[in-house]
Every structure is written in C-alpha cells, then in structure tokens.
Amino acid sequence: MTQTMRQFKNGLIDQNPTLVLLLGMCPTLATSTSMTNAVGMGLAATAVLICSNFAVSALRKLIPEKIRIAAFVVIIAGFVTAVDYLLQAFVPALSESLGMFIPLIVVNCIILARAEAFASKNGVMRSALDGLTMGMGFTLALMTVSAIRELLSAGSLFGFRVLPEAFPSIGIMAQPPGGFIVLGVVIAVMQAIRNRGKARPAA
Amino acid sequence: MTWQGLITMSLGAILIENFVLVRFLGICPFLGVSKKMDTAMGMGMAVIFVMTAASAATWAVDAYLLKPFGIEYMETVAFILVIAALVQIVEMFLQKAVPALYKALGIYLPLITTNCAVLGVAIINSDLGSGFLESVLFSFLSGVGFTFALLLFAAIRQRLEFAEYPDAFEGFPIALVTAGLLAMCFMGFSGLEIFP
C-alpha cells in the first residue's frame, strides 16, 4: 500500500478523528440533526483543515517553538473567518442553520490537533493531504450520526422522505438527548468492531 | 435589571438552555474531566472564572476596537486571541499570587483556551448585542450552568464504575449515553416560566 492510500485509510477508519480519537464532539453533536447540516459542517471543517494544515506546514520553520500554539490558532481563525463569510454569501440558509458553530470551528480540537501533531512536522503536500483525509473522516462520522438521527426523527434523508409514512417518527432523536445517545452507540459499534480481533481477557 | 429579569436569566442560563446539555458547548471538558468529583469541581470553578473574565474582555474589545473601526469581520480572530491571552495572564497571575488555587486548577487552565463554551458565550453576547453588565452576568450564570451539569455528571459517573455494561460501551460510549439520559431530564425544564 502506498503512503497516500495509508493516509486515507488512517483518516477515514483507523484514526478517524471523531469516532476513534474522540475529538471535536461539540460540532458532531450539535450539527448532526440533519444530513444537510452534517455535510455542510463537514465540508466547512475540511476546507479549514486543508488550508490550515497547508499554511502551518509551510510556516513551520518560521514559527518559534514557544508561541506555536498561539500562531496556529491565529492561522486557523483566519481561515475560519474566510469560510464563515463565504458560506454567508453563497449558502445563507446553511449558514443560518449552522449558526455559531461555524465560528466555533476555531476551537475544534481536530484542527489544532492536526496542526500540532502532523502539519508542524511534515511537508506541505503531505500535510494538505492529511487535512483532506482527516476532514473526510470527520465528515463521514458526522454523516453516519446524522443519517441515523434524521431517519429516526423525520424518516427522511437530505430532507427527502425515505421511510413509509406509517413509520413512527421519534422526535427526541432530533433533540439534544438523541445526539448524545446515537453518537454513543455509533462509537460503541466502532469499538466492538476494533475489539473483535483482540484476544479477550479471561473473565 | 429587575430581580425578576435576573431570576429569569438565571433559570435560562442554568437549566432551560444549559450550555452543555442543550446548547452542546464545552462537551470535551464535560466528558474529559468528569470522572471524579473534585477534578470536576476544579474545572468548573476555572471555567466560571475564565468565562466571566473573558466576556468582560471580549465585550470591551468588541465595543472599543472592532465596532469603532468597522472591522467586525475580525471578530473570531480577535476573540480567540483575547481568550488565549487572558488564560495565559490568569495562569501567570494565579501562579504568583494564589499558588494554592493555581495548584488546584493546574492543568485545567490551559485547556480552557480550546473550550468552545468560552468562545461560544462571547459570540452569543456579541450576536445579541448585550450591554456590559448583561454580558458579564449571562457569562457568569452560563459558567454556573456548565459547572452544575459537570458535577451532576461526575456524580453519576462515579457510580457508573461499578455498573455492568457491554464491553463495547467501555469508556466514551457509556458516558455519552448517560449524558443523553441527563439531557433528557434537562428537556423537562423547557417551557419553565416563573413570571409569565
């Protein structure tokens, strides 16, 4: 397997930022009420991740060790502001429904974690690729959670009705408790799959 | 502000629109430091303190720097810088002036910079266009709400250690499901009104 392939597998499955590394819980819970919101949030965060990883990697030799976190945060905040205004201009409805969680991408742990753990140590192209794969992993996790929540709460995906009308809708799935419970179950399923290969300690 | 307004605001910030369980802000520390009551208490106090101070600082930056110069689009960058600097200053001040408190809060202080509840409250205040006193009071009460939820959750998790559940739910998943049940309880507060 080439390194590029390995990076994709890492970002999407092995090191999935949300489901395995357990980073960035707030946006995952808050914006997974519908598929549309989830994809919007995922793509916005991916765009910021790619740009910030690229910039951090390009500047990694210029940034002094001691103030690197502050420098990373400023770089990230700059890109978040750009994405925020682009969304407001081109997709105002999405920007409205994501609300304050767009500016809050700044404090999304995934982005700072990748800047610190990967981009500040690797080359420019590889860091940008890392941003892409990690962003896709985040988007995938968001889409999984939101698909379950939207199906159970409204019987639809992307706003289109999928389940028959007779299927009872579970309103609480769109509410905060549904977010916590669905995300908990999805992570539990991921852990169960990863535990399968391991030897079980004798009870 | 009337005392009725104050009570309504307290109920709103602490119960009805709880920062963690209803607005989904500050989930990382909520899940991360809720394993023991005393660490939860330390984190809660640190968050209340930083949130109140940060809202005062960001309000000043918003009113005297961003608005007069018409550079509101720099809001996110300015706020996060102010918060990061503030956390650093608070850390250095406590280290010199109140070493006991510094030791108690220790590792939680730097973590607060990336706590979305702090930046969140600054953005909410700026979006609402609240006045200075209102902003600071709302931030303080929101911090209290965060601490309240954190303490409740820590108390539940301490008991959870002796509970039996499937292996796959070990760690985060069972915490998330528990938080879900707690959030369900908090839904009961919606629509709560004392002065209709």
Side-chain angles (χ1 to χ4, degrees):
Chain A
M1 210 177 343
T2 65
Q3 198 174 351
T4 310
M5 287 293 290
R6 204 173 310 131
Q7 260 187 312
F8 267 99
K9 187 161 171 282
N10 242 347
L12 290 178
I13 302 160
D14 293 344
Q15 300 269 313
N16 187 299
T18 312
L19 301 179
V20 180
L21 301 181
L22 308 170
L23 295 170
M25 289 288 144
C26 305
T28 313
L29 289 165
T31 60
S32 61
T33 43
S34 75
M35 285 289 269
T36 320
N37 280 354
V39 172
M41 183 69 201
L43 292 183
T46 308
V48 174
L49 249 172
I50 296 172
C51 298
S52 71
N53 261 7
F54 184 87
V56 165
S57 173
L59 296 170
R60 70 185 187 279
K61 298 207 173 81
L62 294 173
I63 298 173
E65 177 79 18
K66 277 199 173 152
I67 56 153
R68 66 182 193 289
I69 300 288
F72 295 165
V73 169
V74 174
I75 292 173
I76 295 167
F79 287 118
V80 169
T81 307
V83 166
D84 189 7
Y85 279 85
L86 281 174
L87 287 180
Q88 270 178 38
F90 292 105
V91 267
L94 182 69
S95 164
E96 184 95 342
S97 71
L98 292 178
M100 64 185 294
F101 282 91
I102 294 281
L104 283 180
I105 296 178
V106 177
V107 283
N108 187 328
C109 341
I110 298 174
I111 294 166
L112 194 59
R114 291 326 286 178
E116 166 77 5
F118 196 94
S120 63
K121 299 187 183 76
N122 287 283
V124 174
M125 287 327 283
R126 205 146 283 295
S127 299
L129 183 68
D130 179 74
L132 176 69
T133 56
M134 283 292 156
M136 280 169 66
F138 176 62
T139 312
L140 196 71
L142 258 175
M143 284 172 73
T144 314
V145 175
S146 67
I148 299 172
R149 285 181 74 183
E150 202 184 334
L151 270 180
L152 291 178
S153 67
S156 60
L157 288 176
F158 289 108
F160 296 108
R161 185 134 202 124
V162 186
L163 295 176
E165 293 286 337
F167 191 83
S169 59
I170 309 165
I172 202 159
M173 282 298 157
Q175 305 278 339
F180 281 112
I181 293 171
V182 171
L183 183 61
V185 173
V186 170
I187 295 176
V189 170
M190 277 296 273
Q191 287 195 359
I193 295 170
R194 282 190 302 140
N195 283 347
R196 218 168 35 180
K198 284 186 213 146
R200 212 167 274 259
Chain B
M1 185 185 281
T2 57
W3 62 276
Q4 277 114 324
L6 188 66
I7 292 177
T8 311
M9 194 191 220
S10 319
L11 280 178
I14 300 173
L15 297 178
I16 303 167
E17 292 255 84
N18 186 285
F19 249 54
V20 186
L21 296 167
V22 181
R23 285 189 198 254
F24 287 135
L25 292 168
I27 303 285
C28 303
F30 178 69
L31 293 171
V33 293
S34 55
K35 284 200 186 110
K36 283 202 196 111
M37 276 304 258
D38 46 345
T39 52
M41 196 68 194
M43 184 68 178
M45 291 300 130
V47 167
I48 295 181
F49 187 67
V50 173
M51 260 169 104
T52 315
S55 70
T58 50
W59 186 88
V61 166
D62 203 25
Y64 295 115
L65 206 63
L66 298 181
K67 288 217 176 91
F69 291 101
I71 45 170
E72 281 103 337
Y73 58 86
M74 290 293 281
E75 188 185 83
T76 315
V77 183
F79 281 8
I80 192 73
L81 269 180
V82 167
I83 291 169
L86 187 81
V87 171
Q88 197 88 60
I89 293 169
V90 167
E91 202 182 336
M92 290 192 298
F93 174 76
L94 286 182
Q95 197 174 5
K96 284 267 184 259
V98 209
L101 186 63
Y102 175 75
K103 256 197 183 144
L105 299 181
I107 51 163
Y108 304 117
L109 273 173
L111 285 179
I112 293 177
T113 311
T114 52
N115 182 338
C116 46
V118 180
L119 183 59
V121 82
I123 294 174
I124 291 177
N125 280 331
S126 138
D127 283 353
L128 290 177
S130 312
F132 180 74
L133 199 64
E134 243 176 294
S135 300
V136 173
L137 209 56
F138 175 71
S139 309
F140 172 75
L141 291 170
S142 300
V144 172
F146 173 85
T147 310
F148 179 56
L150 187 64
L151 287 178
L152 274 181
F153 192 53
I156 299 176
R157 273 186 94 174
Q158 274 187 336
R159 300 197 164 213
L160 212 59
E161 285 193 8
F162 306 105
E164 276 185 39
Y165 43 81
D167 282 351
F169 276 88
E170 186 69 45
F172 255 60
I174 192 72
L176 279 168
V177 174
T178 312
L181 296 178
L182 197 55
M184 230 181 260
C185 303
F186 270 73
M187 275 179 76
F189 292 122
S190 63
L192 184 67
E193 248 180 317
I194 293 189
F195 309 106

